[in-house]
């Protein structure tokens, strides 16, 4: 189920997508691709992270992966059933696999990623018969803001 017009709400705290954008901007400040992720359970943010593959010298240190690891610690479980993920860029195949294995309930993402995305582009991971768990997916939330952040980041490096 995809619906870019649906607005996620969190009456108990800050807007999770805004926190994801804060994480993305912090990642850019560290010289990382500006992607941020937040995990919410029962209306409360339980984990957030920004990209850190360069800093940690770890190709798996994507914002989603780090947020999933932190959320699993916070809830003391390897499953994040009932949790929602907010991320500023469409997840890649690696992150989509982790989302599925973690049993995340919903994924809200900002910019589509025609080259590296694996949710609505590329392999469309959650639609594959081998996918064990497919979350609800809502793409395109604040897409232009995310696209502008990414474009600015890469223009500065060229």
């Amino acid at each position: 189920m995809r619906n870019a017009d649906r607005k996620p709400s969190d009456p108990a705290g800050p807007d999770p997508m805004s926190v994801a954008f804060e994480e993305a901007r912090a990642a850019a400040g560290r010289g990382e691709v500006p992607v941020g992720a937040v995990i919410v359970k029962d209306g409360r943010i339980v984990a957030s992270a920004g990209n850190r593959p360069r800093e940690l010298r770890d190709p798996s240190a994507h914002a989603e992966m780090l947020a999933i690891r932190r959320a699993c610690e916070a809830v003391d479980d390897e499953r994040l059933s009932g949790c929602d993920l907010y991320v500023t860029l469409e997840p890649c195949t690696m992150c989509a696999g982790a989302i599925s294995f973690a049993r995340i309930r919903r994924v809200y993402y900002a910019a589509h990623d025609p080259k590296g995305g694996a949710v609505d582009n590329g392999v469309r991971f959650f639609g594959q018969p081998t996918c064990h768990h497919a979350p609800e997916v809502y793409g395109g939330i604040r897409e232009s803001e995310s696209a502008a952040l990414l474009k600015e980041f890469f223009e500065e490096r060229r």
Side-chain angles (χ1 to χ4, degrees):
M1 178 181 208
R2 282 137 176 73
N3 182 352
D5 296 326
R6 181 173 169 176
K7 301 286 188 219
S9 61
D10 181 13
D15 169 49
M17 191 61 86
S18 293
V19 176
F21 273 100
E22 289 173 17
E23 290 282 1
R25 285 188 279 281
R30 295 189 300 273
E32 302 279 2
V33 174
V35 178
V38 169
I39 296 181
V40 173
K41 183 175 179 80
D42 299 327
R44 301 208 182 277
I45 294 173
V46 295
S48 66
N51 266 359
R52 291 183 183 272
R54 298 182 74 128
E55 176 185 339
L56 299 177
R57 293 176 176 77
D58 177 357
S60 72
H62 289 194
E64 301 96 318
M65 299 293 284
L66 296 173
I68 288 169
R69 290 175 188 146
R70 291 174 184 170
C72 287
E73 269 187 40
V75 302
D76 196 28
D77 197 344
E78 79 277 9
R79 298 275 170 91
L80 298 174
S81 301
C83 290
D84 300 331
L85 170 70
Y86 295 78
V87 62
T88 59
L89 185 64
E90 178 181 354
C92 70
T93 305
M94 173 182 68
C95 293
I99 290 164
S100 178
F101 284 119
R103 305 295 195 267
I104 289 175
R105 176 178 60 182
R106 292 184 198 107
V107 174
Y108 299 94
Y109 72 86
H112 294 272
D113 186 356
K115 184 176 178 184
V119 175
D120 288 322
N121 290 285
V123 299
R124 296 184 174 156
F125 187 87
F126 301 131
Q128 298 301 315
T130 54
C131 179
H132 297 287
H133 167 78
E136 293 175 32
V137 175
Y138 303 91
I141 299 166
R142 295 170 64 175
E143 182 168 15
S144 60
E145 182 180 353
S146 180
L149 182 61
L150 288 158
K151 182 179 178 183
E152 179 182 324
F153 176 81
F154 287 112
E155 281 179 350
E156 288 176 2
R157 276 143 188 76
R158 289 189 178 118

